[in-house]
């Protein structure tokens, strides 16, 4: 639907008795800016379709990162794993659990502050790790911001990540 051949279009729409080489060349020159704009449109459309097909799933995120780093997409050396860091959680016990009582003090009592966190809040852990081969360290030195922006663009909101070389 979006593929247009402007030379064939000119030839088909022009009357047969007006199809002289000079006339055809002149009409092609007139339509050259439109043909360039159409080429730009198809290029942007291809990139937007690629972006629309990428989701936050691990397989799609790996595919997108490998396709952007390796232009032809033939190598699949960038991969993603879950982080194995287990944070030390703070638990509050109830009397029914037969544990020692846990006291939380007010600031007026001049005791050290006790902070309660959610599961990953303040733990320093990451949700996933993006593994990059060491052969790409020179590429990453110049394109680090681009790579991080790609990850943030395609990942779901919320999960944190780190980049690690292997």
């Amino acid at each position: 639907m979006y593929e247009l051949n402007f030379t064939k279009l000119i030839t088909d729409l022009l009357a047969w008795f007006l199809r002289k080489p000079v006339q055809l060349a002149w009409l092609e020159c007139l339509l050259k800016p439109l043909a360039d704009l159409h080429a730009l449109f198809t290029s942007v459309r291809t990139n937007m379709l690629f972006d629309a097909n990428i989701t936050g799933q691990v397989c799609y995120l790996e595919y997108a990162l490998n396709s952007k780093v390796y232009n032809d997409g033939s190598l699949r050396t960038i991969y993603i794993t879950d982080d194995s860091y287990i944070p030390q959680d703070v638990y509050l016990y109830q009397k029914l659990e037969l544990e020692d009582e846990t006291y939380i003090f007010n600031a007026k009592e001049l005791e050290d502050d006790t902070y309660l966190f959610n599961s990953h809040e303040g733990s320093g852990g990451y949700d996933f790790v993006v593994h990059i081969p060491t052969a790409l360290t020179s590429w990453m030195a110049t394109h680090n911001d681009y790579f991080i922006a790609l990850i943030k663009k395609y990942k779901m909101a919320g999960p944190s990540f780190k980049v690690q070389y292997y």
Side-chain angles (χ1 to χ4, degrees), residues 52-90:
N53 288 326
I54 302 301
T55 64
Q57 293 176 339
V58 173
C59 59
Y60 286 112
L61 188 57
E62 287 176 352
Y63 172 74
L65 294 175
N66 283 306
S67 295
K68 295 289 184 174
V69 171
Y70 306 108
N71 292 330
D72 58 353
S74 61
L75 294 175
R76 300 284 176 225
T77 58
I78 299 172
Y79 65 95
I80 297 173
T81 59
D82 288 334
D83 192 20
S84 61
Y85 175 77
I86 300 172
Q88 298 296 325
D89 293 332
V90 177

Side-chain angles (χ1 to χ4, degrees), residues 1 34 49 51 74 150:
M1 178 174 169
L34 185 62
L49 285 174
D51 288 345
S74 61
L150 277 177

Side-chain angles (χ1 to χ4, degrees), residues 125-166:
Y126 298 99
D127 294 312
F128 64 94
V129 180
V130 179
H131 298 276
I132 302 173
T134 54
L136 291 177
T137 52
S138 62
W139 183 86
M140 282 294 290
T142 56
H143 296 90
N144 189 35
D145 294 337
Y146 172 73
F147 191 76
I148 299 299
L150 277 177
I151 297 172
K152 288 181 179 179
K153 178 180 179 180
Y154 293 125
K155 78 173 181 75
M156 292 177 54
S160 60
F161 66 94
K162 68 178 176 179
V163 176
Q164 186 175 8
Y165 294 100
Y166 70 93

